[in-house]
Amino acid sequence: MDFISQAAQTMHRITLRPETGLATLTTNDGSEHTLPLGPPAKGERINIVRFSYDLRRNLAEIDTTDGRSMEIEMPRPGQEPPIGGRPVVYLDQCHWSALSNQLYGPEAVPEKDRAAAEKIINMAVNGEIIIPFSAGHFLETSALYGAKRVNLASTMIRLSRGWRMRHPVRIRMSEIREVLTSKASGVRKPDETPVFTLEATALFQDPIEPQISPGDLIALSHMIEQVSTTQAHYDVLLDPDRVESRRGSEWEDHLRGISRDVEWRDLSKDRRRKASGGLALADVIHEVIRVVSVSRIDLTPEAVTEILINSLADMPFVGLYADVLNSRLSKFEAKWEANDLVDMLFLTSAAAYADVVVGEKVATNYLNEAWAGRTGACPVVRTLKDAADRL
């Protein structure tokens, strides 16, 4: 038996040391085997000096270049993430910043918010709640730099403990696939892909096709992928360098134009709501095409369109997105900014599946308005105190 096969069966720990470009596999008998991962690129900053995954405890330890140590949960191949009934709390970026201030500069946190921030931090550290991060958080964190960014990134890593929200594009693909396959077959087949997960590749917009490896290498390949991808994500998140952001897009210009259009304003509320559903589905046309192709759904384009229009209420995220779009477009003079797209995608998908979502004032208002008619109270609240009161 070669050392890789042996390691796959008896491995105890995987340790990455990015500065050396090496991975060390430690087996149960204490023997070590080294795998080259490649040296860092010339001039590349290293923000994590050690990433060590303990398979017995199913935890990873992270040591940063500035001396911080953190611990996160890791996934096991083929197993569902152990949410175990814990409430999932999704935070808008401004509330992540409040928790970071509570940890690294409490004087910046208003007195009235400190108790709630401390409660949420303690519950996250103790594993009583799950606070996932998302690709949206990565995008918004990239606008920061220096100590503020490193503190915020450290807070996200420490309190999320490895939990992520699947990318909204993939969430709505799952909803579309479930609706179309169920209608095509006549049998309801729930899509069991978890929205909140420990899988490192869940952050990606495009699904990562699993690499097929022979025999014992399947588990080893999966673990190496999870470890290296997670380490890379956190290294980017912790990088203190400024990233130039691109502001403005055709997306907000298009929707601003619709809301200002005289004909749109003259539509009845019912017609605007139906039209907003059509706009929401137009946003997902590429995902619909991919789902129909990959899942080999034998339906005409007309049938697919009709099914989706009539099934908005059966798709938690897509349906809520359509209602949020209607809510915003019905406020004719509302401002439309580039960052609204991040809120529309990430806060709305979180609201469709999380137990509590903490947003800023504007997003909280339109999500609560769009929630009307749904079962139960809207999970979106405006302050950390409101969130703490629900936990």
Side-chain angles (χ1 to χ4, degrees):
M1 178 182 295
D2 61 58
F3 81 89
I4 294 181
S5 296
Q6 179 185 2
Q9 290 186 355
T10 65
M11 195 167 11
H12 162 48
R13 184 182 290 273
I14 303 174
T15 302
L16 303 186
R17 297 186 184 277
E19 286 184 318
T20 65
L22 298 174
T24 301
L25 311 181
T26 306
T27 55
N28 292 332
D29 62 3
S31 61
E32 295 185 347
H33 308 283
T34 301
L35 292 177
L37 299 178
K42 185 177 180 180
E44 179 183 358
R45 181 195 299 273
I46 299 298
N47 302 299
I48 293 177
V49 294
R50 187 181 74 100
F51 188 105
S52 187
Y53 173 22
D54 186 330
L55 279 73
R56 290 175 179 171
R57 299 169 60 221
N58 210 40
L59 296 172
E61 301 160 357
I62 302 169
D63 296 330
T64 67
T65 52
D66 63 355
R68 307 182 200 218
S69 295
M70 293 164 281
E71 189 175 78
I72 65 169
E73 299 177 51
M74 292 291 287
R76 290 190 183 278
Q79 292 185 11
E80 290 297 315
I83 290 178
R86 291 176 287 177
V88 175
V89 181
Y90 186 90
L91 302 177
D92 196 6
Q93 188 79 352
C94 62
H95 297 294
W96 270 117
S97 295
L99 296 187
S100 179
N101 288 337
Q102 180 71 20
L103 290 171
Y104 296 103
E107 67 281 355
V109 181
E111 183 69 33
K112 62 183 177 61
D113 296 331
R114 292 180 186 176
E118 194 64 27
K119 176 180 177 179
I120 291 172
I121 288 170
N122 289 336
M123 292 184 75
V125 170
N126 294 332
E128 298 172 54
I129 59 175
I130 291 171
I131 312 182
F133 66 92
S134 69
H137 294 129
F138 266 74
L139 179 64
E140 294 183 327
T141 301
S142 68
L144 304 176
Y145 57 93
K148 186 174 183 179
R149 173 165 171 172
V150 175
N151 288 342
L152 177 59
S154 299
T155 300
M156 287 182 170
I157 295 170
R158 178 184 172 190
L159 300 187
S160 68
R161 292 184 57 82
W163 285 89
R164 304 155 173 84
M165 183 173 77
R166 198 167 298 277
H167 196 285
V169 169
R170 292 172 63 182
I171 295 173
R172 65 190 186 190
M173 282 182 66
S174 294
E175 292 182 351
I176 291 166
R177 182 183 300 109
E178 179 176 340
V179 165
L180 292 180
T181 55
S182 296
K183 295 293 184 181
S185 66
V187 179
R188 185 76 177 183
K189 298 178 181 178
D191 191 316
E192 297 180 352
T193 305
V195 171
F196 305 106
T197 179
L198 293 169
E199 289 288 332
T201 56
L203 291 180
F204 300 149
Q205 177 173 325
D206 293 317
I208 303 300
E209 297 298 328
Q211 299 296 314
I212 304 301
S213 303
D216 297 327
L217 295 188
I218 295 176
L220 179 61
S221 174
H222 178 272
M223 287 185 283
I224 290 291
E225 177 190 55
Q226 294 300 313
V227 170
S228 59
T229 302
T230 300
Q231 179 271 324
H233 284 165
Y234 290 167
D235 200 278
V236 170
L237 198 62
L238 287 160
D239 197 296
D241 287 349
R242 180 194 295 270
V243 176
E244 294 298 330
S245 60
R246 176 181 177 273
R247 293 296 179 186
S249 71
E250 295 180 359
W251 180 85
E252 69 269 20
D253 292 338
H254 174 63
L255 293 178
R256 186 186 303 110
I258 291 175
S259 67
R260 304 291 194 272
D261 185 78
V262 175
E263 292 185 7
W264 176 265
R265 296 184 178 199
D266 287 342
L267 293 177
S268 66
K269 289 184 178 180
D270 186 58
R271 289 189 65 187
R272 274 203 306 271
R273 189 173 189 276
K274 290 179 179 178
S276 296
L279 289 171
L281 291 177
D283 281 350
V284 303
I285 186 63
H286 295 296
E287 289 98 286
V288 173
I289 292 172
R290 184 184 299 180
V291 167
V292 170
S293 175
V294 173
S295 300
R296 302 190 180 190
I297 296 172
D298 187 18
L299 293 169
T300 65
E302 294 76 16
V304 168
T305 301
E306 183 179 359
I307 289 170
L308 292 177
I309 288 175
N310 293 327
S311 301
L312 283 173
D314 297 324
M315 296 183 284
F317 169 35
V318 178
L320 183 58
Y321 178 87
D323 288 339
V324 168
L325 195 59
N326 175 60
S327 175
R328 296 214 60 181
L329 288 173
S330 295
K331 293 175 176 56
F332 305 133
E333 302 303 325
K335 293 182 179 180
W336 288 88
E337 300 176 352
N339 197 59
D340 291 337
L341 178 58
V342 176
D343 286 347
M344 290 279 285
L345 289 176
F346 290 90
L347 286 179
T348 305
S349 54
Y353 289 96
D355 297 289
V356 180
V357 176
V358 196
E360 47 80 34
K361 179 179 178 180
V362 174
T364 299
N365 287 343
Y366 66 66
L367 279 163
N368 273 275
E369 182 177 324
W371 192 266
R374 288 172 169 78
T375 302
C378 179
V380 186
V381 296
R382 189 179 300 173
T383 69
L384 291 176
K385 182 181 184 307
D386 292 335
D389 289 344
R390 292 197 179 191
L391 298 174

